[in-house]
């Protein structure tokens, strides 16, 4: 096993930055991390690989991401308005694949949300396809495999 | 305990007496004793939706479901007959089947290995010598429940002498017939589902599927995400919609009258938001007539059909509820498409489903927030009532001779609560 520590550090820094943007609801900055053709995916079945032909919790192209953010920021959504803070931890970062134009990364995430005074926790396995750029990466694909996907979630008014 | 907040006078009221014509007592949401009684008097005494036939399309397929708190299996045996079985091993009670759905040759209990066929019959028992003269395998199948289906919707019941399903559905059948047209000429098929729960009573969800009043308020952020033409379609409170009480607790809420029959008005121009789908269908070689038919079906129907007590045929999907405890309800949003329909059609159906439905949709989280607030707020005060009297002064008789009110009236809720009252008033046998 030969770990490219330099690359792991770079992707860890990027993923941590993305997580911080989302926890602090800096959604416009988050949108700019994406490749225009990128897909944000939260499957209902974590074994599924053909997302387009199955029902997902979210399957967002650029338009849907923009609308998702607009909804959360609009002030029109009662659930977004009363959403508490989220704190997410990213760890166990592993580079699965590396080519000149793509890095595939897997990591663990635990997101905590305080909802009407109750702590709700969402553990997930995350998969990123990142395109290296001059000053970091852009996201080509992000798949959030929630443990809850096998059972029942609470409703979600933030972005994983 | 929540129930300690209810005053003595209300506790002495029976659940059935807590339902009046235009209001219901707030403790119906939070009294654990009433909840226990509901499981018995409602969920064990009526037809309960357990799934759609397309979910167990092939021999050997199964799905798991619940009737109230009873885990059950909907299965299809080798002869292609369907069964609804209690998911309880006849030896010492373990579930014999886990997971949402799948295919299997048999249900094998994990504990001591008793093996059951898909029709529930007990086939094999490991080390049978010690059972010689003790048990007769033919007397120990998985318990089978009476079940019937209509247009592929499968209902089961614990009440063996209940009226036939079709009689129970009654006036709702006409609306189910219309609902299944959204397969676009193909048999309706379950494409997948969303699952979520909310910390609140099941009747809060039951009310919601026949509540048009909340739509422009709660779903403002969803409506804002639509193009102008589609926003107009969803601006239905001033339109010609209506709610009709169909009897037996069922009701239909027609929000978009022009989308009641998806096989009519096939000459309409293709709306902008379906242009991409239309082009994809043309590219697949579909002729223009079929393109229009599929595009119209892709909209889903313009109504919610509420079937008491646990399912709604809600515009384009099934909304299934399960009472877990007095203050916790699980909900499934089941996406539908056409069996064998062109892939772009089913994909569009799934994308539309994801847009509004499920715990991450643009609509459901706001519903969930409102319901959670109802559960939380309804606790306040020693005594109090929930109003379901909207539109009581403006009722009319529908074409089919039913009580009907304006689209944003609470006619459907009143119908459901009257059925609830009737069932809760029944004497224990
Ligand atoms: S409990 Fe099922 S075989 Fe013993
Ligand atoms: Fe709603």
């Amino acid at each position: 096993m030969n770990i490219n520590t330099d690359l792991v550090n770079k992707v860890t820094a990027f993923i941590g930055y993305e997580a911080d943007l989302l926890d602090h609801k800096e959604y416009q900055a988050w949108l700019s991390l994406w490749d225009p053709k990128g897909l944000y995916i939260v499957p209902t079945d974590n074994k599924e690989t053909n997302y387009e032909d199955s029902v997902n919790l979210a399957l967002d192209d650029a338009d849907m991401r923009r609308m998702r953010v607009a909804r959360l920021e609009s002030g029109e959504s009662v659930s977004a308005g009363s959403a508490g803070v989220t704190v997410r931890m990213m760890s166990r970062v592993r580079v699965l694949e590396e080519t000149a134009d793509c890095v595939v990364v897997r990591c663990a995430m635990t997101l905590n949300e305080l909802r009407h005074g109750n702590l709700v926790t969402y553990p997930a396995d995350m998969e990123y396809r990142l395109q290296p750029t001059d000053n970091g990466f852009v996201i080509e694909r992000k798949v959030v495999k929630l443990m809850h996907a096998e059972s029942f979630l609470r409703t979600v008014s933030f972005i994983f | 305990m929540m129930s300690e907040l209810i005053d003595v006078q209300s506790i002495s009221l029976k659940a059935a007496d807590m339902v009046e014509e235009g209001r219901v007592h707030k403790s119906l949401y939070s009294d654990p004793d009433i909840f226990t009684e509901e499981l018995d008097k409602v969920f064990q005494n009526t037809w309960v939706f357990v799934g759609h036939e397309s979910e167990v399309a092939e021999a050997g397929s199964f799905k798991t479901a619940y009737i109230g708190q009873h885990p059950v299996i909907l299965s299809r045996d080798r002869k292609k007959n369907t069964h609804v079985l209690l998911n309880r091993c006849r030896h010492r009670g373990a579930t014999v089947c886990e997971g949402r759905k799948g295919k299997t040759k048999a249900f094998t209990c994990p504990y001591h290995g008793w093996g059951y066929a898909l029709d529930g019959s007990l086939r094999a028992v490991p080390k049978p010598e010690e059972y010689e003269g003790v048990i007769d395998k033919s007397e120990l199948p998985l318990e089978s429940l009476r079940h019937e289906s209509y247009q592929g919707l499968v209902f089961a019941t614990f009440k063996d002498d209940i009226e036939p399903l079709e009689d129970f559905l009654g006036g709702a059948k006409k609306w189910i017939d219309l609902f299944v047209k959204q397969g676009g000429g193909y048999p309706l098929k379950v494409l997948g589902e969303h699952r979520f729960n909310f910390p609140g009573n099941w009747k809060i969800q039951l009310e919601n599927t026949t509540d048009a009043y909340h739509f422009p308020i709660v779903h403002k952020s969803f409506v804002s995400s639509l193009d102008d033409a589609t926003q107009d379609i969803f601006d239905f409170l001033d339109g010609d919609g209506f709610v009709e009480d169909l009897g037996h607790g069922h009701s239909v809420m027609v929000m978009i009258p022009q989308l009641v029959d998806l096989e009519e008005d096939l000459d309409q121009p293709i709306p902008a938001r379906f242009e991409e789908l239309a082009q994809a269908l043309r590219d697949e070689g579909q002729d223009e007539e079929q393109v229009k038919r599929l595009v119209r079906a892709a909209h889903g129907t313009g109504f919610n059909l509420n079937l008491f007590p646990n399912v709604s045929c809600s515009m384009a999907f099934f909304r299934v509820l399960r009472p877990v405890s007095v203050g916790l309800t699980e909900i499934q949003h089941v996406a539908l498409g056409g069996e064998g329909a062109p892939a772009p059609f089913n994909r569009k159906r799934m994308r539309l489903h994801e847009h509004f439905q499920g715990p991450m949709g643009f609509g459901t989280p706001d519903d969930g927030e409102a319901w959670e607030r109802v559960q939380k707020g309804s606790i306040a005060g020693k005594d109090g009532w929930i109003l379901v009297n909207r539109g009581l002064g403006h009722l009319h008789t529908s074409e089919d001779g039913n009580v009907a009110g304006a689209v944003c009236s609470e006619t459907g809720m009143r119908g459901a609560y009257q059925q609830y009252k009737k069932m809760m008033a029944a004497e224990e046998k």
Side-chain angles (χ1 to χ4, degrees):
Chain A
M1 186 192 55
N2 190 359
I3 294 179
N4 180 344
T5 317
D6 188 42
L7 181 62
V8 170
N9 282 340
K10 277 186 188 149
V11 296
T12 304
F14 178 79
I15 288 167
Y17 175 67
E18 191 223 1
D20 184 78
L21 290 180
L22 288 173
D23 274 344
H24 293 93
K25 307 200 189 309
E26 294 178 36
Y27 292 133
Q28 295 302 329
W30 179 73
L31 287 175
S32 72
L33 298 182
W34 284 82
D35 177 78
K37 289 207 187 68
L39 289 176
Y40 168 77
I41 303 165
V42 186
T44 55
D45 177 352
N46 290 338
K47 288 184 215 81
E48 188 57 67
T49 52
N50 178 359
Y51 300 116
E52 199 190 3
D53 289 308
S54 36
V55 172
N56 304 280
L57 293 161
L59 173 59
D60 290 2
D61 57 12
D63 273 350
M64 277 295 281
R65 282 194 300 278
R66 184 184 42 73
M67 291 195 296
R68 186 176 294 280
V69 165
R71 190 181 98 81
L72 294 176
E73 290 183 336
S74 65
E76 291 176 346
S77 157
V78 57
S79 63
S82 69
V85 293
T86 59
V87 175
R88 67 194 77 198
M89 261 84 83
M90 320 291 288
S91 65
R92 207 204 61 202
V93 178
R94 176 175 167 193
V95 173
L96 295 177
E97 230 181 282
E98 184 199 349
T99 62
D101 48 14
C102 181
V103 183
V104 181
V105 184
R106 186 164 68 201
C107 69
M109 178 193 72
T110 303
L111 183 146
N112 303 286
E113 183 202 17
L114 192 70
R115 200 192 152 96
H116 288 289
N118 296 312
L119 187 65
V120 188
T121 297
Y122 299 92
D125 215 33
M126 314 277 279
E127 280 174 28
Y128 287 86
R129 291 180 71 92
L130 303 174
Q131 278 170 22
T133 61
D134 291 343
N135 45 7
F137 300 96
V138 291
I139 308 171
E140 201 177 289
R141 199 169 90 163
K142 172 177 172 179
V143 185
V144 184
K145 297 187 173 182
L146 295 167
M147 284 176 77
H148 285 76
E150 294 302 311
S151 102
F152 290 76
L153 281 90
R154 278 284 144 88
T155 53
V156 171
S157 288
F158 51 84
I159 294 175
F160 283 113
Chain B
M1 286 300 293
M2 293 163 175
S3 60
E4 284 167 12
L5 294 172
I6 298 161
D7 71 358
V8 181
Q9 191 198 348
S10 339
I11 283 176
S12 65
L13 275 182
K14 285 207 166 124
D17 300 327
M18 292 183 184
V19 176
E20 296 180 357
E21 187 188 19
R23 61 178 198 171
V24 301
H25 198 272
K26 70 190 188 65
S27 56
L28 289 185
Y29 293 155
S30 51
D31 184 330
D33 295 337
I34 293 177
F35 180 77
T36 307
E37 206 182 326
E38 287 169 349
L39 290 175
D40 180 30
K41 289 188 167 174
V42 177
F43 285 87
Q44 297 208 53
N45 271 295
T46 189
W47 287 106
V48 174
F49 178 80
V50 290
H52 187 262
E53 282 175 358
S54 66
E55 294 178 90
V56 289
E58 294 159 36
S61 25
F62 68 86
K63 73 160 277 196
T64 54
Y66 281 88
I67 297 179
Q69 291 184 326
H70 302 273
V72 300
I73 307 166
L74 170 61
S75 68
R76 197 178 285 275
D77 68 21
R78 284 192 309 189
K79 292 181 197 136
K80 294 219 125 198
N81 295 317
T82 53
H83 303 270
V84 176
L85 308 165
L86 291 190
N87 193 355
R88 187 191 90 232
C89 179
R90 295 299 299 276
H91 177 216
R92 293 234 295 278
T95 59
V96 298
C97 172
E98 287 289 325
R100 298 183 208 182
K101 60 180 176 160
K103 279 196 82 171
T104 188
K105 288 202 173 68
F107 300 118
T108 305
C109 180
Y111 203 179
H112 312 93
W114 285 24
Y116 301 88
L118 283 138
D119 64 2
S121 57
L122 176 59
R123 285 293 160 80
V125 172
K127 298 215 170 277
E129 312 82 59
E130 291 298 317
Y131 281 128
E132 265 167 37
V134 180
I135 65 164
D136 177 353
K137 288 211 298 276
S138 70
E139 285 171 2
L140 292 170
L142 294 176
E143 270 179 63
S144 178
L145 295 184
R146 182 172 160 199
H147 72 288
E148 288 173 19
S149 64
Y150 184 75
Q151 291 277 23
L153 284 74
V154 185
F155 296 75
T157 183
F158 277 95
K159 192 171 153 72
D160 286 332
D161 61 350
I162 198 172
E163 66 202 314
L165 175 66
E166 292 210 20
D167 295 356
F168 170 73
L169 293 173
K173 282 193 297 181
K174 153 183 160 180
W175 296 95
I176 297 176
D177 297 346
L178 289 164
F179 185 79
V180 300
K181 290 187 181 184
Q182 60 192 299
Y186 298 88
L188 203 66
K189 181 193 179 185
V190 168
L191 299 176
E193 68 181 18
H194 288 146
R195 299 178 155 214
F196 64 100
N197 58 28
F198 79 98
N201 188 265
W202 64 279
K203 296 185 291 304
I204 297 172
Q205 158 68 99
L206 180 73
E207 294 164 14
N208 179 261
T209 39
T210 175
D211 184 324
Y213 194 26
H214 81 289
F215 199 93
I217 315 284
V218 166
H219 300 306
K220 194 164 194 305
S221 72
F222 165 74
V223 173
S224 294
S225 76
L226 304 170
D227 61 77
D228 291 349
T230 316
Q231 288 199 17
D232 281 349
I233 294 179
F234 278 96
D235 184 16
F236 47 70
L237 288 201
D238 298 319
D240 297 328
F242 56 88
V243 184
E244 188 173 327
D245 182 343
L246 302 172
H248 295 128
H250 315 319
S251 63
V252 65
M253 172 174 76
V254 174
M255 292 160 282
I256 310 168
Q258 63 271 32
L259 288 175
V260 162
D261 190 335
L262 296 174
E263 284 173 2
E264 279 175 3
D265 293 331
L266 292 175
D267 305 331
Q268 300 283 326
I270 308 254
R273 70 169 175 152
F274 289 105
E275 197 39 70
E276 209 176 308
L277 168 64
Q279 196 50 50
L281 292 169
R282 288 181 200 118
D283 292 347
E284 282 207 343
Q286 306 281 340
D287 64 35
E288 205 53 27
E289 199 178 320
Q290 184 63 0
V291 168
K292 290 204 156 162
R293 184 179 196 194
L294 284 163
V295 164
R296 189 158 156 85
H299 282 80
T301 57
F303 59 84
N304 281 2
L305 173 66
N306 227 22
L307 300 175
F308 187 88
N310 79 322
V311 64
S312 168
C313 299
S314 184
M315 301 189 90
F317 67 104
F318 295 135
R319 193 190 299 229
V320 187
L321 71 83
R322 182 197 159 211
V324 179
S325 67
V326 68
L328 185 65
T329 304
E330 285 176 354
I331 296 167
Q332 287 157 265
H333 286 175
V334 182
L336 302 169
E339 169 68 50
F345 172 79
N346 282 340
R347 278 184 199 139
K348 182 68 178 176
R349 296 274 305 182
M350 291 189 272
R351 298 299 86 80
L352 289 172
H353 189 79
E354 289 157 356
H355 189 167
F356 188 95
Q357 309 307 339
M360 294 187 69
F362 289 16
T364 303
D366 294 325
D367 282 320
E369 177 72 21
W371 306 335
E372 198 168 338
R373 300 276 195 102
V374 170
Q375 186 75 16
K376 196 173 168 183
S378 68
I379 300 301
K382 282 183 168 180
D383 195 11
W385 294 82
I386 305 293
L387 300 184
V388 291
N389 54 3
R390 194 176 154 77
L392 252 183
H394 285 122
L395 298 175
H396 64 273
T397 303
S398 74
E399 263 173 47
D400 294 339
N402 298 316
V403 172
V407 62
C408 58
S409 67
E410 288 161 348
T411 306
M413 289 171 225
R414 289 192 289 274
Y417 274 116
Q418 286 309 315
Q419 176 75 4
Y420 173 86
K421 183 182 176 79
K422 194 172 121 194
M423 298 191 80
M424 293 297 280
E427 286 307 316
E428 228 106 357
K429 279 188 219 140

